[in-house]
Amino acid sequence: RMPSKFAIHLPNSAQRKQIFEVILNEESCSSTVDLANLGAAADGLSGSDLKEVCRIAVLRRAKETLDKRRRERGDIPASSVLARDPLEHLESALDHCMRSLGQMVNFALD
């Protein structure tokens, strides 16, 4: 047998929007979440990368929720928790992944 390689191109903006829709289909998203804009902003990311963006956003949202409950119980100071819109979690996670991608590209070019 000869090993085969298949070139799989990165998704375009519309395909990234569809990937976000599939990944988030069972999640309740705020009306402020515009998947078309997120898809456009995620240029250069694969479907796997988009799944990671969503995973990071969910973890950040969960941490914020836990911190809010701790604050309500008085375990942590109120000033240490800022409630954010779910879109901010997705945008922050996307920014994190885009910076990681940039670092990998720069490292590969060095």
Side-chain angles (χ1 to χ4, degrees):
R1 291 185 178 177
M2 293 183 58
S4 298
K5 291 186 180 184
F6 298 95
I8 299 176
H9 301 285
L10 292 173
N12 62 32
S13 182
Q15 291 167 331
R16 289 189 298 272
K17 176 186 180 277
Q18 291 174 335
I19 292 169
F20 274 127
E21 288 171 349
V22 169
I23 294 169
L24 298 171
N25 72 339
E26 293 184 17
E27 299 295 326
S28 58
C29 288
S30 167
S31 61
T32 61
V33 175
D34 184 347
L35 297 180
N37 284 343
L38 284 173
D43 188 37
L45 296 183
S46 68
S48 177
D49 295 330
L50 299 178
K51 185 173 181 180
E52 181 68 5
V53 166
C54 294
R55 187 188 71 79
I56 291 169
V58 167
L59 289 175
R60 288 180 179 182
R61 181 73 173 174
K63 181 186 181 314
E64 182 179 278
T65 300
L66 289 173
D67 287 349
K68 182 179 177 185
R69 288 186 182 155
R70 288 187 197 130
R71 183 191 73 213
E72 289 169 353
R73 288 193 318 246
D75 296 344
I76 59 175
S79 62
S80 66
V81 178
L82 296 173
R84 298 192 311 179
D85 186 287
L87 176 61
E88 291 182 50
H89 294 285
L90 282 166
E91 289 173 338
S92 173
L94 178 60
D95 180 60
H96 171 80
C97 287
M98 294 300 288
R99 281 186 282 120
S100 295
L101 176 67
Q103 289 173 353
M104 288 189 296
V105 168
N106 288 338
F107 180 75
L109 295 176
D110 287 342

